[in-house]
Short mmCIF file of all heavy atoms in Angstrom, two decimals:
data_model
loop_
_atom_site.label_atom_id
_atom_site.label_comp_id
_atom_site.label_asym_id
_atom_site.label_seq_id
_atom_site.Cartn_x
_atom_site.Cartn_y
_atom_site.Cartn_z
N ALA A 187 71.15 -30.90 7.51
CA ALA A 187 70.75 -30.96 6.10
C ALA A 187 69.36 -31.60 5.97
O ALA A 187 68.54 -31.15 5.17
CB ALA A 187 71.78 -31.76 5.30
N LEU A 188 69.10 -32.65 6.75
CA LEU A 188 67.81 -33.34 6.67
C LEU A 188 66.66 -32.47 7.18
O LEU A 188 65.51 -32.68 6.78
CB LEU A 188 67.86 -34.63 7.47
CG LEU A 188 68.77 -35.74 6.92
CD1 LEU A 188 68.84 -36.89 7.91
CD2 LEU A 188 68.29 -36.22 5.57
N ALA A 189 66.96 -31.49 8.03
CA ALA A 189 65.90 -30.65 8.61
C ALA A 189 65.17 -29.86 7.55
O ALA A 189 64.02 -29.45 7.77
CB ALA A 189 66.51 -29.72 9.66
N MET A 190 65.79 -29.64 6.40
CA MET A 190 65.12 -28.90 5.32
C MET A 190 64.30 -29.83 4.43
O MET A 190 63.77 -29.40 3.41
CB MET A 190 66.17 -28.16 4.48
CG MET A 190 66.82 -27.00 5.22
SD MET A 190 65.65 -25.69 5.62
CE MET A 190 65.47 -24.93 4.02
N GLU A 191 64.23 -31.11 4.79
CA GLU A 191 63.46 -32.12 4.06
C GLU A 191 63.83 -32.13 2.58
O GLU A 191 62.97 -31.98 1.70
CB GLU A 191 61.95 -31.87 4.25
CG GLU A 191 61.53 -31.96 5.71
CD GLU A 191 60.04 -31.74 5.91
OE1 GLU A 191 59.46 -30.92 5.17
OE2 GLU A 191 59.47 -32.39 6.79
N PRO A 192 65.11 -32.35 2.29
CA PRO A 192 65.57 -32.32 0.90
C PRO A 192 65.11 -33.54 0.11
O PRO A 192 64.83 -34.61 0.69
CB PRO A 192 67.09 -32.31 1.03
CG PRO A 192 67.33 -33.07 2.30
CD PRO A 192 66.21 -32.68 3.21
N LYS A 193 65.02 -33.39 -1.19
CA LYS A 193 64.71 -34.52 -2.07
C LYS A 193 66.00 -35.20 -2.55
O LYS A 193 65.94 -36.28 -3.13
CB LYS A 193 63.91 -34.02 -3.28
CG LYS A 193 64.61 -33.00 -4.16
CD LYS A 193 63.78 -32.59 -5.35
CE LYS A 193 62.55 -31.82 -4.96
NZ LYS A 193 61.83 -31.24 -6.12
N LEU A 194 67.15 -34.55 -2.30
CA LEU A 194 68.44 -35.05 -2.76
C LEU A 194 69.48 -34.67 -1.72
O LEU A 194 69.47 -33.57 -1.20
CB LEU A 194 68.78 -34.41 -4.11
CG LEU A 194 70.21 -34.58 -4.64
CD1 LEU A 194 70.49 -36.03 -5.01
CD2 LEU A 194 70.43 -33.66 -5.86
N MET A 195 70.40 -35.63 -1.42
CA MET A 195 71.49 -35.35 -0.50
C MET A 195 72.82 -35.53 -1.22
O MET A 195 73.05 -36.55 -1.89
CB MET A 195 71.43 -36.28 0.72
CG MET A 195 70.34 -35.93 1.72
SD MET A 195 70.74 -34.49 2.74
CE MET A 195 71.93 -35.21 3.88
N LEU A 196 73.70 -34.55 -1.05
CA LEU A 196 75.05 -34.58 -1.62
C LEU A 196 76.04 -34.70 -0.47
O LEU A 196 75.96 -33.95 0.50
CB LEU A 196 75.32 -33.30 -2.42
CG LEU A 196 74.29 -32.91 -3.48
CD1 LEU A 196 74.68 -31.56 -4.11
CD2 LEU A 196 74.16 -33.98 -4.55
N PHE A 197 76.97 -35.63 -0.60
CA PHE A 197 78.00 -35.82 0.43
C PHE A 197 79.38 -35.67 -0.20
O PHE A 197 79.74 -36.43 -1.12
CB PHE A 197 77.89 -37.22 1.05
CG PHE A 197 76.66 -37.45 1.87
CD1 PHE A 197 75.48 -37.87 1.28
CD2 PHE A 197 76.67 -37.24 3.23
CE1 PHE A 197 74.34 -38.09 2.02
CE2 PHE A 197 75.53 -37.47 4.02
CZ PHE A 197 74.36 -37.89 3.40
N ASP A 198 80.16 -34.71 0.26
CA ASP A 198 81.50 -34.45 -0.28
C ASP A 198 82.53 -35.01 0.66
O ASP A 198 82.96 -34.34 1.60
CB ASP A 198 81.69 -32.95 -0.50
CG ASP A 198 83.01 -32.66 -1.24
OD1 ASP A 198 83.66 -33.62 -1.70
OD2 ASP A 198 83.38 -31.48 -1.36
N GLU A 199 82.93 -36.27 0.46
CA GLU A 199 83.91 -36.95 1.30
C GLU A 199 83.61 -36.72 2.79
O GLU A 199 84.45 -36.16 3.51
CB GLU A 199 85.33 -36.50 0.92
CG GLU A 199 85.67 -36.79 -0.53
CD GLU A 199 87.15 -36.58 -0.84
OE1 GLU A 199 87.98 -36.72 0.06
OE2 GLU A 199 87.45 -36.28 -2.00
N PRO A 200 82.44 -37.13 3.26
CA PRO A 200 82.00 -36.76 4.59
C PRO A 200 82.81 -37.38 5.72
O PRO A 200 82.68 -36.95 6.87
CB PRO A 200 80.54 -37.27 4.64
CG PRO A 200 80.53 -38.39 3.64
CD PRO A 200 81.46 -37.97 2.55
N THR A 201 83.64 -38.38 5.42
CA THR A 201 84.43 -39.01 6.48
C THR A 201 85.92 -38.70 6.39
O THR A 201 86.69 -39.17 7.23
CB THR A 201 84.25 -40.55 6.44
OG1 THR A 201 84.69 -41.05 5.17
CG2 THR A 201 82.79 -40.94 6.64
N SER A 202 86.33 -37.91 5.40
CA SER A 202 87.77 -37.73 5.16
C SER A 202 88.47 -36.93 6.28
O SER A 202 89.66 -37.05 6.46
CB SER A 202 88.02 -37.05 3.83
OG SER A 202 87.50 -35.73 3.83
N ALA A 203 87.71 -36.11 7.04
CA ALA A 203 88.32 -35.32 8.10
C ALA A 203 88.22 -36.01 9.45
O ALA A 203 88.60 -35.43 10.48
CB ALA A 203 87.63 -33.95 8.17
N LEU A 204 87.74 -37.25 9.47
CA LEU A 204 87.51 -37.95 10.73
C LEU A 204 88.61 -38.91 11.07
O LEU A 204 89.25 -39.50 10.18
CB LEU A 204 86.17 -38.72 10.66
CG LEU A 204 84.91 -37.91 10.39
CD1 LEU A 204 83.72 -38.85 10.31
CD2 LEU A 204 84.71 -36.84 11.44
N ASP A 205 88.84 -39.11 12.38
CA ASP A 205 89.74 -40.18 12.81
C ASP A 205 89.12 -41.52 12.41
O ASP A 205 87.89 -41.67 12.37
CB ASP A 205 89.91 -40.16 14.34
CG ASP A 205 90.67 -38.92 14.80
OD1 ASP A 205 91.48 -38.41 14.02
OD2 ASP A 205 90.45 -38.49 15.95
N PRO A 206 89.95 -42.51 12.08
CA PRO A 206 89.43 -43.77 11.56
C PRO A 206 88.35 -44.41 12.41
O PRO A 206 87.38 -44.97 11.89
CB PRO A 206 90.68 -44.65 11.48
CG PRO A 206 91.80 -43.70 11.28
CD PRO A 206 91.43 -42.47 12.08
N GLU A 207 88.47 -44.31 13.75
CA GLU A 207 87.49 -44.99 14.61
C GLU A 207 86.14 -44.28 14.61
O GLU A 207 85.15 -44.84 15.11
CB GLU A 207 88.00 -45.13 16.04
CG GLU A 207 88.20 -43.82 16.77
CD GLU A 207 89.61 -43.26 16.63
OE1 GLU A 207 90.30 -43.59 15.65
OE2 GLU A 207 90.02 -42.49 17.52
N LEU A 208 86.07 -43.08 14.04
CA LEU A 208 84.80 -42.33 14.02
C LEU A 208 84.08 -42.46 12.68
O LEU A 208 82.94 -42.02 12.56
CB LEU A 208 85.05 -40.86 14.32
CG LEU A 208 85.74 -40.53 15.64
CD1 LEU A 208 85.97 -39.03 15.77
CD2 LEU A 208 84.92 -41.05 16.82
#
Side-chain angles (χ1 to χ4, degrees):
L188 292 173
M190 291 296 284
E191 299 181 325
K193 61 179 66 172
L194 168 68
M195 285 284 285
L196 309 176
F197 292 86
D198 187 8
E199 300 190 28
T201 60
S202 65
L204 301 178
D205 292 333
E207 65 268 24
L208 302 178

